[in-house]
Amino acid sequence: MLTWMYVNKRGNQLRLVGLLAISFVIIGCKTQGDAATAANQMAATTKTLSDYYGALDKVLANTQEAYDAQTVINQAPPPDLSDTRQQIQLREKLATEFSTLSATFATITSSTAPTDASTAAGQLNTELVSIKALADNATEQKVLTSAVQLVVSLLQQHDEIKAARQIEPVCNALLKFFNSESQFYDSINKNYLTLASSNAKAMVKGNLVDTSSLFRSSLDPFSLTPSIDSQTIKTGMQGYLDKQIDSTFASKLAAAQNATQALSDSLKEMDARIEVVTKDKVLSIALPPVTLDTVESWVSTITQ
Amino acid sequence: MGDALNALETTYFTLQTNLNPTLAACPDQDTKDQVMAQYVAARQNYWSCINHAFHDDDPALQALVVQVDAANTSLTTIADHLGDITTVIDDITKVVTIGEQIAAKVISL
Protein backbone atom coordinates (compact mmCIF):
# COMPACT_ATOMS: atom_id res chain seq x y z
CA MET A 1 0.00 0.00 0.00
CA LEU A 2 1.46 3.23 -1.10
CA THR A 3 0.64 5.81 1.48
CA TRP A 4 2.77 8.82 2.12
CA MET A 5 1.89 11.86 4.09
CA TYR A 6 3.63 15.14 3.42
CA VAL A 7 4.83 16.68 6.65
CA ASN A 8 3.57 20.22 6.64
CA LYS A 9 4.38 22.88 9.14
CA ARG A 10 1.52 21.82 11.38
CA GLY A 11 3.02 18.40 11.85
CA ASN A 12 0.19 16.65 10.03
CA GLN A 13 1.42 13.57 8.28
CA LEU A 14 0.36 14.16 4.71
CA ARG A 15 2.74 12.99 2.05
CA LEU A 16 0.67 12.94 -1.07
CA VAL A 17 3.30 13.42 -3.68
CA GLY A 18 3.89 10.19 -5.49
CA LEU A 19 0.63 8.54 -4.57
CA LEU A 20 -1.42 11.40 -5.88
CA ALA A 21 0.43 11.24 -9.16
CA ILE A 22 -0.22 7.57 -9.27
CA SER A 23 -3.91 7.93 -8.52
CA PHE A 24 -4.84 9.58 -11.77
CA VAL A 25 -3.37 7.07 -13.96
CA ILE A 26 -4.55 4.19 -12.05
CA ILE A 27 -8.07 5.11 -11.43
CA GLY A 28 -9.04 1.55 -12.21
CA CYS A 29 -9.48 2.10 -15.93
CA LYS A 30 -9.86 -0.90 -18.14
CA THR A 31 -8.36 0.72 -21.16
CA GLN A 32 -5.34 2.85 -21.85
CA GLY A 33 -7.71 5.57 -23.02
CA ASP A 34 -9.57 5.61 -19.69
CA ALA A 35 -6.30 5.70 -17.76
CA ALA A 36 -5.05 8.66 -19.76
CA THR A 37 -8.42 10.42 -19.37
CA ALA A 38 -8.40 9.95 -15.60
CA ALA A 39 -4.81 11.14 -15.36
CA ASN A 40 -5.59 14.25 -17.39
CA GLN A 41 -8.65 14.96 -15.24
CA MET A 42 -6.52 14.81 -12.13
CA ALA A 43 -3.91 17.01 -13.79
CA ALA A 44 -6.61 19.62 -14.43
CA THR A 45 -7.93 19.35 -10.89
CA THR A 46 -4.53 19.77 -9.26
CA LYS A 47 -3.68 22.58 -11.71
CA THR A 48 -6.73 24.43 -10.39
CA LEU A 49 -5.64 23.61 -6.85
CA SER A 50 -2.32 25.28 -7.65
CA ASP A 51 -4.11 28.30 -9.13
CA TYR A 52 -6.23 28.55 -5.98
CA TYR A 53 -3.15 28.68 -3.77
CA GLY A 54 -1.61 31.25 -6.11
CA ALA A 55 -4.67 33.44 -5.71
CA LEU A 56 -4.54 33.00 -1.93
CA ASP A 57 -0.91 34.18 -1.97
CA LYS A 58 -2.01 37.26 -3.93
CA VAL A 59 -4.69 37.89 -1.28
CA LEU A 60 -1.96 37.79 1.39
CA ALA A 61 0.17 40.21 -0.64
CA ASN A 62 -2.82 42.55 -0.88
CA THR A 63 -3.39 42.12 2.85
CA GLN A 64 0.19 43.20 3.59
CA GLU A 65 -0.33 46.33 1.47
CA ALA A 66 -3.61 47.04 3.24
CA TYR A 67 -1.88 46.79 6.63
CA ASP A 68 0.72 49.28 5.35
CA ALA A 69 -2.09 51.59 4.26
CA GLN A 70 -3.71 51.22 7.69
CA THR A 71 -0.45 52.39 9.26
CA VAL A 72 -0.77 55.62 7.30
CA ILE A 73 -4.42 56.02 8.30
CA ASN A 74 -4.22 55.32 12.05
CA GLN A 75 -0.57 54.47 12.83
CA ALA A 76 -1.30 50.77 13.58
CA PRO A 77 2.05 48.97 13.20
CA PRO A 78 1.86 46.42 10.35
CA PRO A 79 2.43 42.69 10.98
CA ASP A 80 4.79 40.52 8.90
CA LEU A 81 2.92 37.96 6.81
CA SER A 82 5.97 36.36 5.20
CA ASP A 83 5.64 33.10 7.18
CA THR A 84 2.04 32.67 6.12
CA ARG A 85 2.85 33.45 2.50
CA GLN A 86 5.68 30.94 2.55
CA GLN A 87 3.32 28.18 3.67
CA ILE A 88 0.79 28.98 0.95
CA GLN A 89 3.52 29.20 -1.69
CA LEU A 90 4.76 25.77 -0.65
CA ARG A 91 1.28 24.32 -1.14
CA GLU A 92 1.08 26.03 -4.53
CA LYS A 93 4.35 24.47 -5.58
CA LEU A 94 3.28 21.01 -4.46
CA ALA A 95 -0.01 21.26 -6.32
CA THR A 96 1.83 22.37 -9.46
CA GLU A 97 4.14 19.40 -9.21
CA PHE A 98 1.21 17.03 -8.67
CA SER A 99 -0.37 18.38 -11.82
CA THR A 100 2.83 17.95 -13.82
CA LEU A 101 3.27 14.43 -12.50
CA SER A 102 -0.24 13.38 -13.35
CA ALA A 103 0.05 14.80 -16.86
CA THR A 104 3.23 12.79 -17.28
CA PHE A 105 1.46 9.68 -16.05
CA ALA A 106 -1.18 10.30 -18.69
CA THR A 107 1.60 10.25 -21.26
CA ILE A 108 2.82 6.92 -19.96
CA THR A 109 -0.58 5.28 -20.08
CA SER A 110 -1.28 6.49 -23.59
CA SER A 111 2.13 5.56 -24.89
CA THR A 112 2.64 2.41 -26.84
CA ALA A 113 6.33 2.93 -27.28
CA PRO A 114 8.55 1.50 -24.51
CA THR A 115 11.00 4.32 -24.98
CA ASP A 116 8.28 6.94 -24.49
CA ALA A 117 7.24 5.34 -21.23
CA SER A 118 10.81 5.18 -20.00
CA THR A 119 11.38 8.81 -20.85
CA ALA A 120 8.21 9.83 -19.06
CA ALA A 121 9.15 7.74 -16.03
CA GLY A 122 12.52 9.43 -15.91
CA GLN A 123 10.82 12.79 -16.04
CA LEU A 124 8.56 11.74 -13.19
CA ASN A 125 11.49 10.89 -10.99
CA THR A 126 13.12 14.19 -11.84
CA GLU A 127 9.98 15.95 -10.67
CA LEU A 128 9.90 13.94 -7.48
CA VAL A 129 13.44 14.72 -6.41
CA SER A 130 12.82 18.40 -7.04
CA ILE A 131 10.15 18.52 -4.36
CA LYS A 132 11.97 20.12 -1.46
CA ALA A 133 10.07 18.30 1.22
CA LEU A 134 11.35 15.05 -0.23
CA ALA A 135 14.80 16.36 -1.05
CA ASP A 136 15.36 16.88 2.66
CA ASN A 137 14.49 13.27 3.45
CA ALA A 138 16.59 10.72 1.61
CA THR A 139 14.65 7.73 2.98
CA GLU A 140 11.29 9.07 1.91
CA GLN A 141 12.70 10.04 -1.47
CA LYS A 142 13.98 6.53 -2.07
CA VAL A 143 10.67 4.98 -1.04
CA LEU A 144 8.71 7.36 -3.19
CA THR A 145 10.83 6.99 -6.31
CA SER A 146 10.61 3.23 -5.87
CA ALA A 147 6.84 3.54 -5.67
CA VAL A 148 6.78 5.62 -8.81
CA GLN A 149 8.85 3.03 -10.60
CA LEU A 150 6.43 0.33 -9.44
CA VAL A 151 3.46 2.25 -10.72
CA VAL A 152 5.20 3.01 -14.00
CA SER A 153 5.96 -0.68 -14.36
CA LEU A 154 2.32 -1.59 -13.70
CA LEU A 155 1.20 0.98 -16.21
CA GLN A 156 3.60 -0.27 -18.81
CA GLN A 157 2.14 -3.72 -18.24
CA HIS A 158 -1.30 -2.13 -18.51
CA ASP A 159 -2.21 -3.45 -15.06
CA GLU A 160 -4.00 -0.23 -14.26
CA ILE A 161 -6.52 -1.74 -11.89
CA LYS A 162 -3.91 -3.18 -9.57
CA ALA A 163 -2.05 0.10 -9.55
CA ALA A 164 -5.23 2.09 -9.02
CA ARG A 165 -6.26 0.17 -5.92
CA GLN A 166 -3.10 1.34 -4.24
CA ILE A 167 -3.87 4.93 -5.08
CA GLU A 168 -7.41 5.60 -3.99
CA PRO A 169 -6.49 6.13 -0.30
CA VAL A 170 -4.05 8.81 -1.36
CA CYS A 171 -6.63 10.75 -3.31
CA ASN A 172 -8.86 10.54 -0.29
CA ALA A 173 -5.99 11.86 1.84
CA LEU A 174 -5.61 14.87 -0.45
CA LEU A 175 -9.30 15.64 -0.04
CA LYS A 176 -9.06 15.38 3.76
CA PHE A 177 -5.94 17.53 3.83
CA PHE A 178 -7.60 20.32 1.86
CA ASN A 179 -10.76 20.15 3.96
CA SER A 180 -8.72 20.27 7.19
CA GLU A 181 -7.22 23.60 6.11
CA SER A 182 -10.15 25.17 4.26
CA GLN A 183 -11.26 27.14 7.31
CA PHE A 184 -7.88 28.90 7.33
CA TYR A 185 -8.15 29.73 3.65
CA ASP A 186 -11.60 31.25 4.12
CA SER A 187 -10.38 33.18 7.15
CA ILE A 188 -7.49 34.67 5.17
CA ASN A 189 -9.94 35.93 2.55
CA LYS A 190 -12.32 37.34 5.16
CA ASN A 191 -9.48 39.09 6.98
CA TYR A 192 -8.36 40.88 3.83
CA LEU A 193 -11.87 42.08 3.02
CA THR A 194 -12.48 43.20 6.63
CA LEU A 195 -9.22 45.15 6.71
CA ALA A 196 -9.76 46.69 3.27
CA SER A 197 -13.32 47.63 4.22
CA SER A 198 -12.10 49.34 7.40
CA ASN A 199 -9.49 51.31 5.44
CA ALA A 200 -11.97 52.22 2.71
CA LYS A 201 -14.56 53.56 5.14
CA ALA A 202 -11.92 55.61 6.93
CA MET A 203 -10.90 57.17 3.63
CA VAL A 204 -14.50 57.85 2.63
CA LYS A 205 -15.09 59.55 5.99
CA GLY A 206 -11.98 61.64 5.45
CA ASN A 207 -13.09 62.69 1.93
CA LEU A 208 -10.07 60.92 0.47
CA VAL A 209 -11.89 59.11 -2.35
CA ASP A 210 -13.13 60.19 -5.76
CA THR A 211 -16.90 60.48 -5.43
CA SER A 212 -17.62 61.10 -9.10
CA SER A 213 -18.48 57.49 -9.97
CA LEU A 214 -22.16 57.91 -9.13
CA PHE A 215 -22.50 60.74 -11.66
CA ARG A 216 -20.81 59.12 -14.63
CA SER A 217 -23.89 57.30 -15.84
CA SER A 218 -25.67 60.68 -16.02
CA LEU A 219 -22.82 62.48 -17.79
CA ASP A 220 -21.33 59.80 -20.06
CA PRO A 221 -24.13 60.04 -22.70
CA PHE A 222 -23.21 63.67 -23.17
CA SER A 223 -19.45 63.16 -23.11
CA LEU A 224 -19.23 65.15 -19.91
CA THR A 225 -16.81 64.48 -17.05
CA PRO A 226 -17.77 65.00 -13.40
CA SER A 227 -15.78 67.43 -11.30
CA ILE A 228 -16.97 67.24 -7.73
CA ASP A 229 -15.75 70.18 -5.65
CA SER A 230 -18.76 70.70 -3.42
CA GLN A 231 -18.10 69.62 0.16
CA THR A 232 -21.85 69.14 0.55
CA ILE A 233 -21.95 66.58 -2.24
CA LYS A 234 -18.81 64.82 -0.98
CA THR A 235 -20.29 64.53 2.50
CA GLY A 236 -23.64 63.46 1.08
CA MET A 237 -21.96 60.65 -0.85
CA GLN A 238 -20.51 59.01 2.26
CA GLY A 239 -23.62 57.00 3.11
CA TYR A 240 -23.90 55.78 -0.48
CA LEU A 241 -20.25 54.77 -0.60
CA ASP A 242 -20.42 52.99 2.77
CA LYS A 243 -23.33 50.92 1.47
CA GLN A 244 -21.36 50.15 -1.69
CA ILE A 245 -18.44 48.95 0.43
CA ASP A 246 -20.70 46.75 2.56
CA SER A 247 -22.49 45.13 -0.38
CA THR A 248 -19.23 44.52 -2.27
CA PHE A 249 -17.70 43.00 0.88
CA ALA A 250 -20.57 40.53 1.12
CA SER A 251 -20.46 39.50 -2.52
CA LYS A 252 -16.66 39.10 -2.63
CA LEU A 253 -16.65 37.09 0.60
CA ALA A 254 -19.34 34.79 -0.78
CA ALA A 255 -17.36 34.32 -4.00
CA ALA A 256 -14.21 33.36 -2.07
CA GLN A 257 -16.06 30.90 0.16
CA ASN A 258 -17.83 29.39 -2.86
CA ALA A 259 -14.47 28.87 -4.55
CA THR A 260 -13.12 27.00 -1.51
CA GLN A 261 -16.20 24.79 -1.40
CA ALA A 262 -16.09 24.20 -5.16
CA LEU A 263 -12.48 23.05 -4.95
CA SER A 264 -13.36 20.68 -2.11
CA ASP A 265 -16.24 19.36 -4.23
CA SER A 266 -13.88 18.87 -7.18
CA LEU A 267 -11.39 16.87 -5.10
CA LYS A 268 -14.27 14.84 -3.68
CA GLU A 269 -15.55 14.14 -7.19
CA MET A 270 -12.12 12.93 -8.34
CA ASP A 271 -11.86 10.70 -5.26
CA ALA A 272 -15.28 9.24 -6.08
CA ARG A 273 -14.30 8.61 -9.71
CA ILE A 274 -11.15 6.84 -8.64
CA GLU A 275 -13.10 4.66 -6.23
CA VAL A 276 -15.56 3.70 -8.97
CA VAL A 277 -12.75 2.64 -11.23
CA THR A 278 -10.98 0.59 -8.57
CA LYS A 279 -14.18 -1.43 -8.48
CA ASP A 280 -13.46 -2.42 -12.05
CA LYS A 281 -16.07 -0.15 -13.59
CA VAL A 282 -15.72 2.08 -16.60
CA LEU A 283 -14.85 5.74 -16.18
CA SER A 284 -17.71 7.25 -18.13
CA ILE A 285 -17.01 10.93 -17.47
CA ALA A 286 -14.69 12.46 -20.02
CA LEU A 287 -14.24 15.92 -18.54
CA PRO A 288 -12.74 17.27 -15.29
CA PRO A 289 -15.23 18.25 -12.53
CA VAL A 290 -17.37 21.21 -13.62
CA THR A 291 -16.96 22.76 -10.17
CA LEU A 292 -13.42 23.71 -11.22
CA ASP A 293 -14.95 26.54 -13.28
CA THR A 294 -16.20 28.25 -10.10
CA VAL A 295 -12.69 28.13 -8.66
CA GLU A 296 -11.02 29.46 -11.81
CA SER A 297 -13.58 32.26 -12.04
CA TRP A 298 -12.70 33.43 -8.52
CA VAL A 299 -8.97 33.02 -9.21
CA SER A 300 -9.27 35.30 -12.24
CA THR A 301 -10.86 38.06 -10.13
CA ILE A 302 -7.93 37.94 -7.71
CA THR A 303 -5.01 37.61 -10.10
CA GLN A 304 -6.15 39.99 -12.84
CA MET B 1 -14.93 26.14 11.51
CA GLY B 2 -12.56 25.26 14.35
CA ASP B 3 -13.89 26.73 17.56
CA ALA B 4 -10.60 28.23 18.66
CA LEU B 5 -9.87 29.96 15.35
CA ASN B 6 -13.48 31.13 15.21
CA ALA B 7 -13.23 32.69 18.68
CA LEU B 8 -10.01 34.56 17.93
CA GLU B 9 -11.29 35.61 14.52
CA THR B 10 -14.42 37.07 16.06
CA THR B 11 -12.40 39.13 18.55
CA TYR B 12 -9.93 40.41 15.97
CA PHE B 13 -12.44 41.14 13.20
CA THR B 14 -14.76 42.98 15.62
CA LEU B 15 -11.89 45.17 16.76
CA GLN B 16 -10.73 45.71 13.16
CA THR B 17 -14.18 46.81 12.03
CA ASN B 18 -14.56 49.24 14.95
CA LEU B 19 -10.94 50.39 15.23
CA ASN B 20 -11.22 53.80 13.55
CA PRO B 21 -14.43 54.95 15.28
CA THR B 22 -13.07 53.68 18.63
CA LEU B 23 -9.85 55.63 18.17
CA ALA B 24 -11.89 58.69 17.21
CA ALA B 25 -13.81 58.41 20.49
CA CYS B 26 -10.63 58.42 22.60
CA PRO B 27 -10.15 61.70 24.52
CA ASP B 28 -6.35 61.62 24.53
CA GLN B 29 -3.30 59.90 23.08
CA ASP B 30 -2.83 57.66 26.11
CA THR B 31 -6.31 56.19 25.64
CA LYS B 32 -5.66 55.74 21.93
CA ASP B 33 -2.45 53.90 22.77
CA GLN B 34 -4.39 51.52 25.04
CA VAL B 35 -6.89 50.72 22.29
CA MET B 36 -4.15 50.25 19.71
CA ALA B 37 -2.19 47.91 22.00
CA GLN B 38 -5.21 45.66 22.45
CA TYR B 39 -5.96 45.67 18.72
CA VAL B 40 -2.37 44.70 17.88
CA ALA B 41 -2.47 41.91 20.47
CA ALA B 42 -5.75 40.54 19.11
CA ARG B 43 -4.34 40.66 15.58
CA GLN B 44 -1.20 38.80 16.69
CA ASN B 45 -3.28 36.13 18.41
CA TYR B 46 -5.21 35.62 15.18
CA TRP B 47 -2.15 35.30 12.94
CA SER B 48 -0.43 33.00 15.44
CA CYS B 49 -3.36 30.64 15.12
CA ILE B 50 -3.46 30.89 11.33
CA ASN B 51 0.19 29.84 11.26
CA HIS B 52 -0.15 26.94 13.64
CA ALA B 53 -2.27 23.85 13.74
CA PHE B 54 -5.35 23.83 15.86
CA HIS B 55 -6.06 20.84 18.05
CA ASP B 56 -9.61 21.53 19.02
CA ASP B 57 -9.83 18.40 21.10
CA ASP B 58 -7.49 19.75 23.76
CA PRO B 59 -9.63 20.21 26.94
CA ALA B 60 -7.72 23.22 28.20
CA LEU B 61 -8.02 24.89 24.83
CA GLN B 62 -11.73 24.16 24.72
CA ALA B 63 -12.18 25.76 28.15
CA LEU B 64 -10.43 28.91 26.96
CA VAL B 65 -12.64 29.02 23.88
CA VAL B 66 -15.74 28.96 26.08
CA GLN B 67 -14.39 31.93 28.01
CA VAL B 68 -13.57 34.00 24.96
CA ASP B 69 -16.92 33.21 23.35
CA ALA B 70 -18.66 34.63 26.41
CA ALA B 71 -16.41 37.69 26.38
CA ASN B 72 -16.91 38.27 22.65
CA THR B 73 -20.59 38.93 23.25
CA SER B 74 -19.58 42.08 25.09
CA LEU B 75 -17.80 43.32 21.98
CA THR B 76 -20.73 42.96 19.61
CA THR B 77 -22.20 46.29 20.73
CA ILE B 78 -18.92 48.17 20.87
CA ALA B 79 -20.07 50.80 18.40
CA ASP B 80 -23.04 51.65 20.62
CA HIS B 81 -20.96 52.30 23.75
CA LEU B 82 -18.13 54.48 22.52
CA GLY B 83 -19.35 57.20 24.88
CA ASP B 84 -17.96 55.14 27.75
CA ILE B 85 -14.50 54.49 26.34
CA THR B 86 -13.10 53.26 29.67
CA THR B 87 -15.58 50.39 29.86
CA VAL B 88 -15.01 49.62 26.18
CA ILE B 89 -11.25 49.33 26.75
CA ASP B 90 -11.82 47.10 29.79
CA ASP B 91 -14.06 44.76 27.77
CA ILE B 92 -11.57 44.64 24.92
CA THR B 93 -8.69 43.92 27.33
CA LYS B 94 -10.52 40.98 28.91
CA VAL B 95 -11.23 39.33 25.57
CA VAL B 96 -7.77 39.90 24.14
CA THR B 97 -6.10 38.53 27.30
CA ILE B 98 -8.00 35.27 26.97
CA GLY B 99 -7.14 35.25 23.28
CA GLU B 100 -3.45 35.46 24.17
CA GLN B 101 -3.86 32.36 26.33
CA ILE B 102 -5.47 30.52 23.43
CA ALA B 103 -2.71 31.55 21.03
CA ALA B 104 -0.03 30.47 23.51
CA LYS B 105 -1.78 27.14 23.99
CA VAL B 106 -1.98 26.56 20.25
CA ILE B 107 1.70 27.33 19.76
CA SER B 108 2.62 24.88 22.54
CA LEU B 109 0.66 21.98 20.98
Side-chain angles (χ1 to χ4, degrees):
Chain A
M1 175 72 71
L2 302 176
T3 50
W4 282 274
M5 306 303 281
Y6 170 67
V7 181
N8 66 14
K9 189 174 181 179
R10 297 186 289 132
N12 289 342
Q13 305 301 306
L14 192 67
R15 303 186 181 95
L16 302 166
V17 182
L19 299 180
L20 185 60
I22 296 171
S23 63
F24 338 119
V25 186
I26 301 200
I27 302 192
C29 304
K30 291 186 175 181
T31 66
Q32 276 186 300
D34 277 354
T37 298
N40 282 323
Q41 288 178 12
M42 204 59 190
T45 303
T46 46
K47 169 63 169 60
T48 297
L49 179 63
S50 173
D51 292 344
Y52 174 91
Y53 284 129
L56 208 55
D57 183 48
K58 179 70 168 119
V59 169
L60 285 169
N62 290 342
T63 303
Q64 188 70 72
E65 283 188 11
Y67 277 130
D68 291 340
Q70 185 185 59
T71 300
V72 176
I73 293 171
N74 58 30
Q75 294 78 54
D80 180 2
L81 303 185
S82 55
D83 278 350
T84 313
R85 290 194 66 185
Q86 188 178 41
Q87 285 301 302
I88 296 301
Q89 288 164 6
L90 179 59
R91 283 152 177 76
E92 180 185 4
K93 181 175 170 57
L94 285 174
T96 298
E97 288 166 345
F98 289 165
S99 184
T100 302
L101 287 172
S102 58
T104 305
F105 270 126
T107 302
I108 293 177
T109 58
S110 59
S111 169
T112 55
T115 52
D116 287 350
S118 296
T119 301
Q123 184 176 341
L124 265 171
N125 278 334
T126 299
E127 290 289 332
L128 282 170
V129 300
S130 71
I131 297 174
K132 187 177 186 304
L134 293 176
D136 292 339
N137 188 322
T139 300
E140 285 190 10
Q141 188 183 97
K142 185 177 178 181
V143 171
L144 198 50
T145 52
S146 297
V148 169
Q149 290 294 356
L150 170 61
V151 172
V152 169
S153 175
L154 288 170
L155 292 173
Q156 287 177 314
Q157 297 167 37
H158 300 299
D159 200 346
E160 289 92 354
I161 294 179
K162 182 183 289 185
R165 286 177 180 152
Q166 300 185 63
I167 300 318
E168 192 277 332
V170 180
C171 291
N172 189 259
L174 174 63
L175 170 63
K176 288 178 179 175
F177 171 68
F178 182 84
N179 286 344
S180 75
E181 294 200 338
S182 62
Q183 60 182 337
F184 300 104
Y185 308 151
D186 283 343
S187 188
I188 286 171
N189 278 307
K190 188 174 182 181
N191 172 65
Y192 168 60
L193 292 171
T194 301
L195 172 61
S197 170
S198 175
N199 286 350
K201 288 185 175 180
M203 295 181 70
V204 167
K205 188 174 176 63
N207 287 323
L208 298 172
V209 299
D210 182 352
T211 58
S212 61
S213 59
L214 178 63
F215 305 97
R216 290 204 178 97
S217 59
S218 299
L219 299 179
D220 281 352
F222 311 107
S223 301
L224 296 174
T225 305
S227 176
I228 309 299
D229 294 324
S230 166
Q231 190 61 41
T232 302
I233 290 183
K234 285 185 177 181
T235 302
M237 283 286 292
Q238 288 184 359
Y240 170 82
L241 293 175
D242 279 349
K243 286 182 182 178
Q244 179 180 318
I245 292 169
D246 288 339
S247 67
T248 305
F249 174 97
S251 64
K252 286 187 177 294
L253 180 61
Q257 292 171 337
N258 287 341
T260 304
Q261 184 61 51
L263 190 47
S264 174
D265 291 343
S266 299
L267 293 169
K268 185 178 180 182
E269 174 63 24
M270 284 311 307
D271 180 51
R273 292 181 189 183
I274 292 169
E275 186 177 0
V276 165
V277 184
T278 59
K279 293 178 179 176
D280 204 16
K281 295 181 181 178
V282 176
L283 179 63
S284 60
I285 304 174
L287 298 174
V290 296
T291 41
L292 293 178
D293 292 343
T294 300
V295 184
E296 290 294 350
S297 175
W298 173 75
V299 168
S300 68
T301 66
I302 299 298
T303 58
Q304 63 185 2
Chain B
M1 171 181 245
D3 291 342
L5 176 61
N6 192 32
L8 293 176
E9 184 184 272
T10 300
T11 302
Y12 164 52
F13 286 179
T14 301
L15 294 180
Q16 176 67 72
T17 300
N18 292 281
L19 181 61
N20 291 314
T22 303
L23 290 173
C26 292
D28 51 46
Q29 188 60 46
D30 183 59
T31 311
K32 287 183 180 179
D33 290 345
Q34 292 180 55
V35 171
M36 187 61 75
Q38 295 304 316
Y39 162 75
V40 171
R43 187 182 66 190
Q44 182 57 46
N45 294 339
Y46 167 78
W47 283 110
S48 293
C49 287
I50 289 288
N51 291 330
H52 290 82
F54 268 82
H55 300 277
D56 283 344
D57 55 348
D58 184 274
L61 185 60
Q62 289 177 332
L64 287 170
V65 169
V66 169
Q67 289 183 53
V68 81
D69 279 346
N72 269 334
T73 56
S74 68
L75 296 185
T76 56
T77 57
I78 190 173
D80 299 330
H81 296 92
L82 292 180
D84 184 3
I85 194 68
T86 302
T87 300
V88 167
I89 293 176
D90 285 346
D91 289 342
I92 292 173
T93 303
K94 286 176 188 172
V95 177
V96 173
T97 300
I98 302 172
E100 287 171 345
Q101 295 175 43
I102 291 178
K105 182 66 177 176
V106 165
I107 294 171
S108 70
L109 290 175

